[in-house]
Amino acid sequence: MIDSLTGAFNRRYFDEQLKDAFTLTQRESKEGIHTQVGMLIFDLDKFKSVNDRFTHAEGDRVLKKFVESMKSMIREEDVFARLGGEEFGLLIRESHKLSTEEIAHMVYRYRKIISENVFTGPVGGEKTEPVTTSVGLVLYPNGAVIEDISDFFSYADQALYRAKYNGRNQVVEFMGLDSDGQPQFSKVDVSPK
């Protein structure tokens, strides 16, 4: 259940919890119950350079500090896990209880705390650089036809890569499918309140 390096949940546990939450949301939606589940995928920006420039020990320290910072902020009912390498997932249970703006502020807060608390730099040196994150966000249901869990995960992953491609250090949300069935994405902007 637990990733041995960081202390976050591991990918297997995350996948099980995501499947359960998705299936429950799918069933409740079909029964006319307004419910929703969300997922965030975080990727530490330019993490490979941390290992290359400062050693793998520094990379491990950064991963541990990132997880420590995230675990101090997330809601008790949500599930935070290491998906692999420098990629992490956050399952947002019952996201329908949060407005879109509240979710945006929640993610903004996560990214702000990370950049203020997680730094990297030369071992034994004083020069440090803040760690930034790119984030993909998907909510279900959201008007798009999402048949199974692999689609749900894929759209979050595509949103993450859109965030990285568009300059990193940002959040991109999967917005649904256009009339041609093509995925649509939007950068999530939020005023820092």
Side-chain angles (χ1 to χ4, degrees), residues 95-151:
S95 60
H96 61 279
K97 293 181 178 178
L98 303 168
S99 70
T100 303
E101 186 174 313
E102 287 171 322
I103 292 172
H105 278 286
M106 180 175 76
V107 180
Y108 173 83
R109 190 173 66 251
Y110 293 160
R111 289 180 50 247
K112 184 175 187 299
I113 295 294
I114 296 308
S115 68
E116 292 174 350
N117 289 292
V118 184
F119 294 89
T120 187
V123 176
E126 293 189 22
K127 183 180 176 189
T128 60
E129 300 170 12
V131 171
T132 61
T133 56
S134 296
V135 184
L137 165 64
V138 66
L139 300 170
Y140 171 79
N142 68 353
V145 176
I146 299 178
E147 295 290 331
D148 59 47
I149 195 72
S150 63
D151 292 336

Side-chain angles (χ1 to χ4, degrees), residues 17-176:
Q17 295 299 307
L18 182 61
K19 182 180 178 185
D20 289 347
F22 181 82
T23 302
L24 176 64
T25 302
Q26 201 173 40
R27 186 173 59 243
E28 288 180 339
S29 292
K30 287 178 181 174
E31 295 171 358
I33 300 170
H34 176 66
T35 186
Q36 188 179 57
V37 62
M39 180 172 57
L40 300 168
I41 299 181
F42 294 83
D43 189 271
L44 303 186
D45 294 328
K46 300 180 182 178
F47 184 75
K48 185 180 183 310
S49 71
V50 174
N51 287 331
D52 292 346
R53 291 167 48 206
F54 306 125
T55 75
H56 287 279
E58 174 64 2
D60 289 351
R61 187 197 65 75
V62 167
L63 292 174
K64 290 176 190 175
K65 185 66 177 173
F66 172 75
V67 169
E68 177 186 309
S69 296
M70 283 297 296
K71 287 170 82 175
S72 72
M73 294 182 287
I74 62 173
R75 301 178 316 158
E76 188 176 311
E77 62 268 32
D78 295 340
V79 178
F80 181 68
R82 184 178 185 195
L83 303 180
E86 70 277 7
E87 211 170 85
F88 296 83
L90 179 65
L91 170 62
I92 307 170
R93 295 184 190 276
E94 300 182 331
S95 60
H96 61 279
K97 293 181 178 178
L98 303 168
S99 70
T100 303
E101 186 174 313
E102 287 171 322
I103 292 172
H105 278 286
M106 180 175 76
V107 180
Y108 173 83
R109 190 173 66 251
Y110 293 160
R111 289 180 50 247
K112 184 175 187 299
I113 295 294
I114 296 308
S115 68
E116 292 174 350
N117 289 292
V118 184
F119 294 89
T120 187
V123 176
E126 293 189 22
K127 183 180 176 189
T128 60
E129 300 170 12
V131 171
T132 61
T133 56
S134 296
V135 184
L137 165 64
V138 66
L139 300 170
Y140 171 79
N142 68 353
V145 176
I146 299 178
E147 295 290 331
D148 59 47
I149 195 72
S150 63
D151 292 336
F152 186 63
F153 197 94
S154 174
Y155 291 135
D157 203 39
Q158 289 176 52
L160 168 66
Y161 281 96
R162 187 69 55 106
K164 294 179 79 61
Y165 179 79
N166 290 337
R168 297 183 174 91
N169 193 25
Q170 59 185 273
V171 181
V172 171
E173 180 180 1
F174 168 68
M175 302 302 293

